[in-house]
Structure formats: structure tokens, C-alpha cells
Amino acid sequence: SAVISQKPSRDICQRGTSLTIQCQVDSQVTMMFWYRQQPGQSLTLIATANQGSEATYESGFVIDKFPISRPNLTFSTLTVSNMSPEDSSIYLCSVELYNEQFFGPGTRLTVL
Amino acid sequence: GNSVTQMEGPVTLSEEAFLTINCTYTATGYPSLFWYVQYPGEGLQLLLKATKADDKGSNKGFEATYRKETTSFHLEKGSVQVSDSAVYFCALSAGGGNKLTFGTGTQLKVEL
């Protein structure tokens, strides 16, 4: 299995600011994914991040709002930019390893 | 597009009761189907999966059978325990790329 950690685990931010979420995995992985879980809703894929290439964003998500870095095979960051209360969600990273997706514990973001 | 519909919760059961959580899906082609579980304070974990029609996934006493004719993947357990209290997510992967499409999640509470 893969052990994934995320920082921060939770944060409360002011409207208009940005927050960068870190995801660290204990194995080298090619594919990392970022998901959002809005209150009372299912998980929605934001983007797929492969090391050495630009992230691929899903419909409704853009790089200016959610820039992603993937500097190596064990680490990625997701930035939530120019936040509004609608960005209040749990953000999760996941990795694919051994044909299975493993998920981090999530970052609970509240925007005031 | 792909979608997953699962029954709304919360579902409250007494210990040793029979559990069914319904899940139906819409997808192009032949998706793989998954049940994930999220225990309080923890990340999502893969509970079981099935990759083709009539396959049965099983783990920890939970079972689900891939029914192509009814496009369903209902989760069942014969005798639930308090420790099964968690949120259960049905998900599918279709069309390559290993992207997961999730249902909204069903919270299960098991009481003594």
C-alpha cells in the first residue's frame, strides 16, 4: 500500500487569499490526482498530475484557479487561488499504485 | 458522461443487522466498479472492487456483485458491527486514465 500525508490538515482562510496544500507519498508514483469534496457532495476530480508534465484539468477547473506542481515522484502541491466561500471543501490527493488508488487524509478548507 | 448514484444516508442499524447500500451507475463501455470506505478521521480506503460483469468483490465480510444487466453494484454485509460505522462511497473507473467517478457517499451508523 501507499502512505500519503497532506499538509495542512485543516485551515480557515480569508476571502481573496491563496492556500497551498502539500501531498507527500512514501513511494514513487507516476500518477497523482487531486479531488475536491464539497459539503454534502461526492468527490470530484480536479486534475491529474504526472511528474515532468503539466497537470491535466477536468472540465470546470482551470490552472489559474488551481495551479498544481509536481516536482518529483513523491510530492505534489495544489494551490487554491483567490479563494471565495464557495471553495470551502475537503481537498484530497490520491496516487495510483499497484492498479489501485490510495487517498490522503484530506485538507479541510473553510473560507470566510 | 459517467455517473454513480447511491442511496442517501444516514443509514442506522443495530449490531448484527443485515446491510444493503444500493449503487447504480451510468458509464460508456465496461467500467471497473469500487466501494471505498472512510472511517472517522481517516482517508478513503478501497474496500472491494470488481472489474467485469458478474464478478463479486469481497472484503471484511462485505460483498458486491457487478450486475451489468441492472447497472448496479450494491454493497451487502450479513452482520454489521459497530466498527463498520463509516461513510461508504461507490465509484467507477471507465474510459482509461484511471479517473474515478464517485457517488455522494452513504453514512452508516451501527448501534449496540
Side-chain angles (χ1 to χ4, degrees):
Chain A
S1 67
V3 177
I4 303 169
S5 60
Q6 287 184 232
K7 291 182 182 178
S9 59
R10 58 178 63 228
D11 207 341
I12 300 173
C13 300
Q14 296 298 318
R15 180 195 300 261
T17 62
S18 298
L19 176 72
T20 295
I21 301 167
Q22 299 179 6
C23 177
Q24 179 78 51
V25 61
D26 67 345
S27 302
Q28 293 187 336
V29 295
T30 301
M31 298 180 77
M32 296 182 78
F33 306 87
W34 285 98
Y35 288 84
R36 179 175 72 181
Q37 185 178 15
Q38 293 178 300
Q41 299 190 28
S42 65
L43 283 78
T44 302
L45 181 63
I46 297 171
T48 302
N50 291 338
Q51 196 268 335
S53 62
E54 282 198 9
T56 302
Y57 289 83
E58 297 299 304
S59 176
F61 298 96
V62 295
I63 188 171
D64 290 346
K65 176 67 175 177
F66 297 102
I68 288 171
S69 76
R70 183 76 205 276
N72 57 51
L73 291 173
T74 63
F75 187 79
S76 178
T77 67
L78 169 76
T79 299
V80 186
S81 303
N82 188 24
M83 288 184 286
S84 67
E86 291 71 35
D87 294 320
S88 297
S89 294
I90 298 174
Y91 293 85
L92 301 101
C93 71
S94 75
V95 304
E96 183 186 286
L97 194 62
Y98 312 127
N99 291 318
E100 182 177 329
Q101 277 200 30
F102 298 90
F103 285 81
T107 295
R108 184 179 294 272
L109 171 62
T110 301
V111 184
L112 303 177
Chain B
N2 301 329
S3 67
V4 175
T5 302
Q6 62 181 106
M7 62 189 290
E8 291 197 17
V11 174
T12 303
L13 296 174
S14 299
E15 199 169 45
E16 298 184 2
F18 184 85
L19 167 71
T20 299
I21 301 177
N22 291 336
C23 171
T24 57
Y25 67 89
T26 302
T28 54
Y30 302 94
S32 295
L33 301 174
F34 307 85
W35 277 101
Y36 281 83
V37 58
Q38 187 172 33
Y39 297 104
E42 299 183 18
L44 268 72
Q45 302 172 26
L46 179 65
L47 180 61
L48 54 84
K49 67 179 182 181
T51 58
K52 62 183 187 295
D54 299 326
D55 269 2
K56 177 185 285 187
S58 62
N59 186 23
K60 299 181 181 180
F62 291 89
E63 293 183 340
T65 301
Y66 189 141
R67 300 289 189 197
K68 185 170 173 58
E69 63 275 14
T70 55
T71 62
S72 65
F73 193 55
H74 304 322
L75 182 68
E76 297 181 335
K77 186 175 185 182
S79 176
V80 294
Q81 306 299 311
V82 172
S83 58
D84 293 325
S85 298
V87 181
Y88 293 82
F89 292 89
C90 185
L92 69 82
S93 174
N98 297 308
K99 303 173 188 177
L100 290 171
T101 300
F102 284 88
T104 53
T106 303
Q107 183 174 13
L108 170 66
K109 299 179 181 178
V110 181
E111 302 173 334
L112 290 172

